[in-house]
Amino acid sequence: MKKITIIAGARPNFMKIAPIIHAIKKVQPARVDLSYRLVHTGQHYDRKMSETFFEELNIPHPDVNLGCGGGTQAEQTAAIMIAFEKELAENPCDMILVVGDVTSTMACSIVAKKMNTKVAHVEAGIRSWDLTMPEEINRMVTDCLADYFFTTSEIANQNLRNLGISDDRTFFVGNVMIDTLMANMSRFKKPVEFDTLGLEQSKYFVLTMHRPANVDEAEKLKKMMNEIINNVHGLPIVFPIHPRTAKIFKDLGVEAENLKIIEPQGYLEFNYLVKHSLAVITDSGGITEETTVMHIPCLTLRDNTERPETCEIGTNMLVGTNPDNIRPALDKLFAGEWPYGDIPEKWDGHAAERIVEIISSLK
């Protein structure tokens, strides 16, 4: 029997592994030689990672939680490696499957390779080329160790070729996050704030900000907020504020009638807000993928992106981290000059099925 250990370290990871597990379960009656074990490293504590989260998105509960939350980058990496080494020794497998670019992705890959276990990386080959991002380090190390690479785009394929990785180990399968998005789009849930704030379809913005380059310097954050507030033509700005941002924001003194600060939302509620908005302003990576599929204009407050296809093909524009760039971008949006965008190849909701088909055929 082929045994796979699937690693998740944070809430977004579960959204990526969910369709893979559903795809495994779908083929198991015909292929009884395929089994999986789901390991949660506990890297991120998330109060929203409750029973409701798993039930709402039909996400399987982990077989074990290693409880490796907290600490510095080095402390957390070490804790995950120690705990996963014991887990893998007690529950050996033929392959571990890691997703994305969190610390758990890198740490578990190192452990597996040192224990002579194959590593498959989902979302391999993604690069921002920004070594100040911990995620970029995690991606690079994981791709140096992995045996099999499941990619979201031809850009990622080329990045791997440039590393000297042969095409027979690289599989262009599509985007598992889009699998989850498409599986749940009909189930998006209108948050109570939609009515209490008097929001109307395509007549408000959604804003998210959490990256250090944007929120750690109070004056810069204040200028960014004022640029956004003053250039959205008075439309509401719905801001589900990240805890990291909230700590700094409370002392900024930024207030406006059209700024609507709300609590962080669940997946179904947040994506309802996105789907019905005029546009999204964000410094997230994953949101740029979802807006592209939903054809929602997205202004990304970053100087680089590991998802360039969302800019080249989709609805995303890199605005940068300079507040002065915000007004010209918003002027372009209001002038009706924003691209409608296409959906990248194989972002069709079937990436996980392709992954499981390939894993089943590997010797």
Side-chain angles (χ1 to χ4, degrees):
M1 175 178 283
K2 186 175 287 183
K3 295 181 179 178
I4 303 167
T5 293
I6 301 173
I7 309 297
R11 193 165 175 257
N13 283 177
F14 279 90
M15 295 172 193
K16 293 173 185 178
I17 59 92
I20 296 171
I21 290 177
H22 295 323
I24 290 173
K25 288 181 174 179
K26 190 175 176 181
V27 303
Q28 272 181 330
R31 296 189 185 132
V32 291
D33 61 338
L34 185 63
S35 68
Y36 74 91
R37 178 174 174 82
L38 177 55
V39 174
H40 181 15
T41 65
Q43 178 184 329
H44 289 171
Y45 170 74
D46 187 337
R47 64 187 177 84
K48 289 187 178 291
M49 187 84 92
S50 60
E51 190 75 24
T52 310
F53 169 73
F54 289 97
E55 288 178 1
E56 203 171 52
L57 295 181
N58 193 23
I59 292 173
H61 284 268
D63 293 289
V64 64
N65 187 325
L66 303 181
C68 300
T72 65
Q73 289 275 338
E75 288 168 339
Q76 193 168 75
T77 302
I80 293 168
M81 289 179 70
I82 292 166
F84 184 61
E85 184 180 55
K86 292 175 183 175
E87 157 65 27
L88 196 55
E90 292 170 6
N91 298 280
C93 64
D94 300 301
M95 173 193 293
I96 75 157
L97 186 145
V98 294
V99 297
D101 50 26
V102 298
T103 301
S104 301
T105 304
M106 175 188 70
C108 292
S109 296
I110 294 170
V111 170
K113 288 302 289 184
K114 290 197 171 189
M115 295 178 73
N116 297 314
T117 303
K118 300 278 189 185
V119 175
H121 185 199
V122 175
E123 292 191 339
I126 287 175
R127 293 291 185 274
S128 68
W129 311 113
D130 181 357
L131 291 176
T132 66
M133 294 175 63
E135 297 92 339
E136 185 72 356
I137 308 297
N138 297 337
R139 293 178 200 122
M140 293 172 70
V141 173
T142 302
D143 282 342
C144 283
L145 296 173
D147 298 279
Y148 305 110
F149 306 83
F150 296 107
T151 64
T152 60
S153 70
E154 177 55 35
I155 295 169
N157 295 345
Q158 189 57 52
N159 288 338
L160 293 171
R161 288 187 197 107
N162 293 344
L163 284 176
I165 293 163
S166 58
D167 284 347
D168 63 340
R169 294 195 290 145
T170 300
F171 306 95
F172 174 29
V173 292
N175 191 329
V176 287
M177 274 297 276
I178 302 308
D179 288 16
T180 295
L181 182 74
M182 290 187 170
N184 289 284
M185 204 176 294
S186 64
R187 302 174 59 243
F188 288 171
K189 191 183 298 182
K190 182 164 72 169
V192 293
E193 290 87 351
F194 194 90
D195 291 328
T196 58
L197 296 176
L199 301 178
E200 298 178 59
Q201 168 107 16
S202 303
K203 292 184 178 178
Y204 65 91
F205 286 79
V206 173
L207 170 67
T208 78
M209 270 201 284
H210 71 281
R211 292 190 183 273
N214 290 327
V215 305
D216 280 5
E217 294 178 34
E219 282 307 308
K220 182 177 180 181
L221 177 58
K222 185 173 184 177
K223 187 174 181 184
M224 280 191 134
M225 289 301 306
N226 285 328
E227 283 296 309
I228 294 167
I229 290 165
N230 294 332
N231 290 288
V232 294
H233 296 202
L235 291 178
I237 303 160
V238 182
F239 189 6
I241 196 160
H242 190 282
R244 175 188 180 89
T245 311
K247 290 176 186 175
I248 299 159
F249 194 87
K250 62 182 174 61
D251 297 323
L252 289 184
V254 172
E255 293 181 5
E257 191 176 334
N258 64 327
L259 179 62
K260 315 293 183 182
I261 295 175
I262 63 173
E263 285 290 306
Q265 300 291 297
Y267 181 85
L268 298 178
E269 291 85 357
F270 178 76
N271 276 298
Y272 182 97
L273 288 171
V274 170
K275 190 171 189 289
H276 294 89
S277 69
L278 172 63
V280 172
I281 303 171
T282 187
D283 58 11
S284 163
I287 291 172
T288 66
E289 297 173 306
E290 293 160 341
T291 50
T292 280
V293 170
M294 291 190 275
H295 296 293
I296 299 295
C298 183
L299 294 75
T300 298
L301 305 176
R302 290 174 57 182
D303 295 317
N304 51 61
T305 177
E306 61 278 8
R307 295 166 174 87
E309 61 272 22
T310 64
C311 299
E312 295 172 11
I313 300 169
T315 59
N316 182 28
M317 177 190 288
L318 273 186
V319 174
T321 55
N322 183 343
D324 292 338
N325 295 342
I326 292 172
R327 179 175 180 174
L330 286 168
D331 285 348
K332 185 173 183 177
L333 174 71
F334 282 108
E337 297 171 0
W338 209 268
Y340 180 74
D342 289 322
I343 298 175
E345 184 183 359
K346 293 188 180 179
W347 289 25
D348 57 5
H350 299 288
E353 294 168 25
R354 297 183 188 105
I355 291 168
V356 172
E357 183 66 31
I358 291 162
I359 287 174
S360 299
S361 67
L362 291 172
K363 303 299 183 188

